[in-house]
Amino acid sequence: MHVPVSGIKFRPLNVVVIIVESLGKEYMGAMNHHTGYTPFLDSLCRHSTVFTNAYANGKRSIEGIPCIVSSIPALMDEPFITSTYNGNKVTSIANVLAKKGYRNYFFHGGTNGTMGFDNFSKLAGYDAYFGRKEYNNDADYDGNWGIYDEPFLQYTVKKLSESQQPFEATVFTISSHHPYLVPEKYKGRFRKGSLPIHESIGYADFSLKKFFESASHTSWYQNTLFVITGDHTAISEVPFYQTRVGMYSLPIIFYQPADSLVGMNDVTTSQIDILPGILDYLHYDQPYFSFGASMFDTSANHSAVNYLNGTYQIIEGNYALAMDTANIQGLYQFKADTLLTVNLMDSIPGIRNNMAKKLKAIVQNYNDALINNKMSAE
């Protein structure tokens, strides 16, 4: 349970959380030493606070959405959305900000019903869901997943401009999902790179550029906090991003046009910290439940956790520790040993034991909250 410091005045900024399909850190030039595929996002990073040591908590879209929206990590084999716990009361960006009079919207250009996102948005307290059905113009249908990013993001600007303020919108793009389709009129415009996803990442980035251009002419733009991240990472060509740590590395970007919210921040953070990070930035003044901690909280002991195929991982500072339910499998100083070739679990027992203890506590608290329906402040 988070109990904010009292006496700080709440800032009723609009909030727009943009979840870019498969946006791994690897694809961004601003966060690497190679040319990336996101020239617009790279330029936006110069005017934003960028968290360079940020991680996904899962590997699939159906896991990423609860992580970002409700600060629920993906620490079991079954995604929360389809699990036996999906009827639990949950905290979400939407139902927390609703207490401050916000209208809340979920935008996803995919065909309605995809991965249960429309039903999850209802559980999470969103006032309205906008998908392919609501868009109602299949001239912009990609023939596979849903509406191409550029027209759907323009539709998003239009719908938000019709809303009362303050509002919160969660916007999930689709075009950089396999099979990585780009509209015919843009074929050859974006760098193809060496992987099939690269061209579609360029198109998604272009679509975001057009979105921000349109949004900048609205009455709500200057009074809005934008948060940009990926739902998970995808295929990779750089060896580090193929490791157990790198395979979760993605960007988390906070941008507020009227604020000097700028700079690179290397605090360890993850998707489940986005909800408390937003509330911290807004000076939210009521108790709420979250598995994460605000990345702006300098007093917190920051870490990131994830789970895959029976193995849990915790990332903290320079180290990553992996273990199953009973045994520690490895401890790596990943910033120096980028390919995780040197197992330090027997060399530094103090760090090993502290990280293992913290990871076990996180998993225990997670299981207890799920089983006993304790993921809400109510």
Side-chain angles (χ1 to χ4, degrees):
M1 191 68 64
H2 291 254
V3 181
V5 177
S6 61
I8 302 177
K9 187 176 180 181
F10 177 73
R11 299 191 287 187
L13 296 174
N14 304 309
V15 176
V16 176
V17 179
I18 302 173
I19 305 167
V20 181
E21 173 65 51
S22 301
L23 182 65
K25 178 180 172 182
E26 175 179 357
Y27 308 138
M28 295 186 62
M31 304 180 75
N32 293 280
H33 299 296
H34 57 78
T35 303
Y37 301 90
T38 58
F40 169 71
L41 284 180
D42 290 347
S43 67
L44 191 70
C45 284
R46 295 195 290 269
H47 308 283
S48 309
T49 290
V50 181
F51 294 92
T52 59
N53 197 25
Y55 301 91
N57 299 107
K59 283 295 294 177
R60 295 178 289 174
S61 300
I62 198 170
E63 295 171 332
I65 299 304
C67 294
I68 297 165
V69 168
S70 292
S71 187
I72 302 173
L75 296 179
M76 58 181 174
D77 293 316
E78 180 81 1
F80 175 80
I81 287 179
T82 56
S83 74
T84 57
Y85 306 109
N86 65 9
N88 283 11
K89 289 183 178 180
V90 299
T91 301
S92 73
I93 301 171
N95 62 28
V96 169
L97 291 180
K99 297 177 181 178
K100 291 293 186 179
Y102 280 62
R103 299 287 295 170
N104 295 278
Y105 310 105
F106 198 109
F107 292 86
H108 179 229
T111 301
N112 296 55
T114 300
M115 287 183 271
F117 293 147
D118 48 357
N119 287 333
F120 177 72
S121 72
K122 294 177 184 177
L123 171 71
Y126 286 85
D127 296 300
Y129 178 93
F130 298 97
R132 175 186 167 194
K133 177 182 177 181
E134 288 73 22
Y135 184 80
N136 196 31
N137 182 3
D138 271 1
D140 297 320
Y141 178 47
D142 67 5
N144 196 294
W145 284 104
I147 306 303
Y148 279 113
D149 285 353
E150 182 195 5
F152 192 77
L153 287 174
Q154 293 302 307
Y155 168 77
T156 300
V157 173
K158 178 178 179 293
K159 298 303 290 186
L160 292 180
S161 297
E162 296 170 357
S163 174
Q164 67 183 45
Q165 300 183 54
F167 58 74
E168 183 275 328
T170 299
V171 185
F172 184 20
T173 70
I174 69 166
S175 292
S176 40
H177 192 291
H178 185 273
Y180 313 123
L181 300 173
V182 172
E184 193 63 35
K185 65 180 179 180
Y186 291 125
K187 292 290 178 65
R189 176 163 182 165
F190 311 108
R191 286 184 61 214
K192 288 186 178 297
S194 59
L195 297 175
I197 194 173
H198 287 154
E199 184 181 21
S200 65
I201 286 288
Y203 170 65
D205 180 75
F206 168 78
S207 301
L208 287 172
K209 178 176 183 287
K210 303 295 284 185
F211 169 85
F212 275 89
E213 286 175 352
S214 296
S216 68
H217 298 296
T218 67
S219 61
W220 50 265
Y221 180 73
Q222 291 291 327
N223 193 44
T224 300
L225 170 67
F226 296 90
V227 180
I228 304 168
T229 190
D231 59 334
H232 56 74
T233 63
I235 51 178
S236 170
E237 64 177 346
V238 177
F240 168 70
Y241 292 108
Q242 297 169 3
T243 68
R244 181 87 195 190
V245 175
M247 67 189 289
Y248 291 100
S249 297
L250 46 64
I252 295 178
I253 302 165
F254 276 64
Y255 170 65
Q256 211 292 306
D259 189 9
S260 56
L261 189 65
V262 296
M264 298 287 184
N265 189 319
D266 68 352
V267 65
T268 302
T269 189
S270 69
Q271 291 168 324
I272 63 170
D273 299 331
I274 290 175
L275 185 155
I278 290 170
L279 298 182
D280 189 4
Y281 184 79
L282 297 180
H283 300 160
Y284 188 76
D285 54 3
Q286 297 180 35
Y288 65 93
F289 178 88
S290 169
F291 283 109
S294 168
M295 58 279 283
F296 298 107
D297 184 355
T298 56
S299 66
N301 186 13
H302 295 281
S303 62
V305 293
N306 33 62
Y307 170 86
L308 184 65
N309 298 331
T311 299
Y312 299 94
Q313 177 174 246
I314 182 169
I315 302 165
E316 190 172 57
N318 296 326
Y319 295 94
L321 179 138
M323 65 182 297
D324 58 24
T325 54
N327 301 303
I328 297 172
Q329 299 175 352
L331 173 65
Y332 302 93
Q333 192 175 6
F334 67 91
K335 290 187 178 180
D337 176 22
T338 57
L339 299 184
L340 312 186
T341 59
V342 182
N343 191 338
L344 301 172
M345 60 182 279
D346 295 324
S347 305
I348 42 179
I351 292 176
R352 177 197 68 201
N353 294 340
N354 286 338
M355 291 183 71
K357 182 179 180 181
K358 181 173 182 178
L359 179 55
K360 289 177 182 178
I362 290 170
V363 174
Q364 183 177 0
N365 289 337
Y366 170 80
N367 290 335
D368 178 67
L370 282 181
I371 293 168
N372 295 299
N373 196 3
K374 298 191 298 186
M375 296 186 295
S376 170
E378 297 175 0

